[in-house]
């Protein structure tokens, strides 16, 4: 199981990456770390930033990353559908 620290590391890497293709590569390399726990931690982080209301740019980037993670996991689940 991945730890919150690992999730934060991946999220930070995604935040520092400007284009979606490179972010997808990060998600692919993270592999099984991109799971329900990852999504829940990311959602929690978004809620935390939203509640603070001090970093609208960060909030928008996190929401964008969340959308990309959802697309990534849906694609991966479709591709793994034969399991």
């Amino acid at each position: 199981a991945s730890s919150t620290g690992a999730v934060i590391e991946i999220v930070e890497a995604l935040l520092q990456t400007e284009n979606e293709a490179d972010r997808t590569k990060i998600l692919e390399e993270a592999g099984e770390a991109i799971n329900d726990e990852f999504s829940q931690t990311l959602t929690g982080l978004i809620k935390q930033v939203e509640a603070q209301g001090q970093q609208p740019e960060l909030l928008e980037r996190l929401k964008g990353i969340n959308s990309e993670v959802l697309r990534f996991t849906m694609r991966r689940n479709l591709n793994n559908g034969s399991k």
Side-chain angles (χ1 to χ4, degrees):
S2 66
S3 68
T4 302
V7 170
I8 299 301
E9 273 183 40
I10 296 167
V11 171
E12 284 178 352
L14 293 169
L15 283 170
Q16 291 166 11
T17 305
E18 290 302 319
N19 71 61
E20 189 172 346
D22 289 343
R23 285 192 295 270
T24 300
K25 200 178 296 177
I26 291 170
L27 292 173
E28 287 169 354
E29 287 170 3
E32 294 305 311
I34 309 302
N35 54 21
D36 289 343
E37 182 184 344
F38 181 90
S39 296
Q40 288 168 359
T41 304
L42 181 55
T43 301
L45 191 59
I46 290 170
K47 287 179 180 167
Q48 193 177 341
V49 171
E50 210 165 21
Q52 291 169 350
Q54 296 170 353
Q55 297 171 293
E57 286 178 20
L58 176 61
L59 182 60
E60 286 309 306
R61 296 215 42 203
L62 287 171
K63 286 181 175 179
I65 287 170
N66 195 38
S67 296
E68 288 175 25
V69 167
L70 288 172
R71 282 196 300 274
F72 174 80
T73 53
M74 283 193 296
R75 268 198 311 270
R76 185 176 65 188
N77 292 343
L78 284 172
N79 293 339
N80 293 343
S82 58
K83 285 187 179 177

